[in-house]
Amino acid sequence: RKEVEQDPGPFNVPEGATVAFNCTYSNSASQSFFWYRQDCRKEPKLLMSVYSSGNEDGRFTAQLNRASQYISLLIRDSKLSDSATYLCVVNNQAGTALIFGKGTTLSVSS
Amino acid sequence: NAGVMQNPRHLVRRRGQEARLRCSPMKGHSHVYWYRQLPEEGLKFMVYLQKENIIDESGMPKERFSAEFPKEGPSILRIQQVVRGDSAAYFCASSPSLADYNEQFFGPGTRLTVL
């Protein structure tokens, strides 16, 4: 089983749509969870940390289910500028490194 | 506050040559991480360093790869005798401390092409 698994997509949605990404992780000892965004041929950029109680940042909502080892990201009212690859990320057991999923590609069209 | 800086941004080497990739962390950050992204793959952790110390090198290939973070100057990822399979994007990240929930800030990457 891969350490972090994501549906690769692509997700093709119109502007204004709501889209949800899911992710599972294998290491129950992971303590930190993130969503990063990566544009084509660019570096990953932190979108948001994910907390056990769930958290929201504008149009973005992240949820964590530790029992199921499942992380989600919801994007409401999609914009053209949301087109990117979304990376689900957890830390390793030692807390010394980030483990990245391969990413889910989102394409928002007008 | 400048972000994480990496140079060169693009590097072309022939098989058998050496590649040196440099990373300057964000100001105030003393923790540096190197990741590699192969074409069509996710980022893979390589090594974690603090000043003058390698803390975790569990992701480093056993041969030809080495990393350092000297007291003065940038962190260096060195690849000796490069092969075509080393062609990838190499990203450096930094964080202010390990305890900061591992929030890491990434540099623009060095794209290595081995001919």
Side-chain angles (χ1 to χ4, degrees):
Chain A
R1 181 183 176 186
K2 291 183 181 176
E3 291 180 285
V4 179
E5 290 203 68
Q6 298 180 247
D7 180 347
F11 284 61
N12 298 304
V13 303
E15 277 186 290
T18 295
V19 61
F21 302 141
N22 303 317
C23 163
T24 57
Y25 61 96
S26 61
N27 188 347
S28 59
S30 292
Q31 294 294 323
S32 300
F33 309 90
F34 309 92
W35 283 100
Y36 275 74
R37 169 193 169 132
Q38 187 175 27
D39 292 281
C40 187
R41 300 184 68 78
K42 299 282 189 181
E43 73 273 24
K45 293 186 177 178
L46 180 66
L47 181 65
M48 58 196 303
S49 301
V50 186
Y51 303 117
S52 296
S53 55
N55 49 300
E56 185 175 311
D57 183 1
R59 298 182 292 109
F60 299 84
T61 301
Q63 296 280 351
L64 169 65
N65 184 323
R66 285 184 184 267
S68 302
Q69 296 178 203
Y70 171 93
I71 307 166
S72 67
L73 176 68
L74 183 76
I75 305 176
R76 292 181 298 277
D77 188 23
S78 298
K79 312 290 185 191
L80 293 174
S81 58
D82 293 335
S83 297
T85 297
Y86 289 83
L87 308 173
C88 178
V89 185
V90 307
N91 69 334
N92 66 350
Q93 188 163 355
T96 55
L98 297 179
I99 303 168
F100 285 78
K102 289 181 70 172
T104 299
T105 300
L106 172 66
S107 178
V108 182
S109 56
S110 57
Chain B
N1 188 9
V4 178
M5 298 176 69
Q6 290 188 247
N7 68 81
R9 297 288 301 275
H10 300 274
L11 182 61
V12 179
R13 285 288 178 265
R14 296 191 180 279
R15 281 179 296 170
Q17 292 184 318
E18 178 179 289
R20 281 184 180 242
L21 288 61
R22 297 176 196 78
C23 169
S24 296
M26 286 179 71
K27 188 176 181 180
H29 287 194
S30 58
H31 299 247
V32 166
Y33 313 80
W34 285 93
Y35 294 82
R36 176 166 67 174
Q37 187 171 30
L38 294 168
E40 308 302 323
E41 294 291 323
L43 277 82
K44 299 292 185 190
F45 167 73
M46 299 181 75
V47 62
Y48 159 47
L49 310 102
Q50 294 179 29
K51 284 284 186 182
E52 299 185 277
N53 287 303
I54 296 174
I55 307 300
D56 181 351
E57 56 181 348
S58 58
M60 288 281 268
K62 294 281 188 284
E63 297 175 344
R64 302 186 298 108
F65 286 72
S66 62
E68 63 177 4
F69 189 15
K71 188 176 180 181
E72 302 290 339
S75 175
I76 305 287
L77 179 67
R78 181 182 178 206
I79 312 173
Q80 295 178 286
Q81 299 176 308
V82 296
V83 300
R84 290 220 173 105
D86 296 333
S87 295
Y90 291 83
F91 291 101
C92 169
S94 72
S95 66
S97 71
L98 181 60
D100 192 21
Y101 298 100
N102 295 116
E103 184 171 332
Q104 298 178 17
F105 300 85
F106 283 78
T110 293
R111 298 194 179 276
L112 172 65
T113 301
V114 180
L115 302 177

